[in-house]
Amino acid sequence: MIEDVKIDGQREVPRGTPAVTPEPGKPASLGKLVEQISEQASRLVRAEIALAKAELADRAKKSGIGIGLLVVALLILAYAAGVLLLAAVYGLGTVWPLWLSALAIGGFMLLVTIILALVGVQLLKKGTTQPESVQRVKDDIASIKEGLHR
């Protein structure tokens, strides 16, 4: 008898009735073969759906991290703008040391902001691509259709 299986820690997926093997020298009936194909296709689709759910959860997690990094980048950008404005004020008020130091700090904050934004955008791009399991399901369906037309 075929046992139940767990897919990635998810709930158990029933495998149906036991597989019927024909007696040696006696071919299986067409009805039994169609029943087996239907059962196997159903199991395959359930397994692919479970895999797609797991992939989507992983991509959602990466997207959340990307959004978090973009929010931090925007926060730092707000502070950088304040520091750069302060540097401009000090630059107009004095000749060199005070505003130059404020300008250097503002430039550094701007550099950190750019790096965080680029990393966040890359994570968002990875999180919005189509899961691989969707393409595998399409390939499985095409294979089944091709097999039925032979």
Side-chain angles (χ1 to χ4, degrees):
M1 178 173 260
I2 299 175
E3 300 176 5
D4 294 343
V5 228
K6 286 189 179 183
I7 300 173
D8 294 333
Q10 300 291 324
R11 65 185 175 88
E12 294 183 2
V13 178
R15 299 295 291 292
T17 57
V20 178
T21 55
E23 296 175 20
K26 184 177 180 185
S29 69
L30 181 60
K32 290 289 182 189
L33 290 175
V34 169
E35 180 183 337
Q36 287 177 353
I37 288 174
S38 171
E39 177 186 332
Q40 290 175 358
S42 174
R43 265 187 294 183
L44 178 63
V45 168
R46 277 187 256 132
E48 291 292 348
I49 288 172
L51 183 59
K53 285 180 183 178
E55 286 180 359
L56 287 174
D58 183 51
R59 290 176 191 265
K61 178 182 174 184
K62 288 180 181 176
S63 294
I65 292 171
I67 290 170
L69 287 175
L70 286 175
V71 167
V72 170
L74 289 174
L75 179 66
I76 292 174
L77 180 62
Y79 282 109
V83 169
L84 289 173
L85 286 173
L86 182 64
V89 169
Y90 280 128
L92 291 175
T94 63
V95 177
W96 184 244
L98 194 56
W99 71 269
L100 184 58
S101 62
L103 191 61
I105 291 172
F108 177 75
M109 290 177 71
L110 196 57
L111 180 67
V112 169
T113 300
I114 290 170
I115 291 170
L116 288 175
L118 289 175
V119 170
V121 167
Q122 284 182 342
L123 285 175
L124 279 176
K125 284 183 181 178
K126 287 181 182 178
T128 57
T129 58
Q130 184 180 30
E132 294 174 12
S133 58
V134 172
Q135 184 59 41
R136 286 194 300 268
V137 169
K138 289 178 182 178
D139 292 343
D140 292 343
I141 291 171
S143 296
I144 290 171
K145 286 181 180 179
E146 182 181 323
L148 290 175
H149 287 100
R150 287 187 185 178

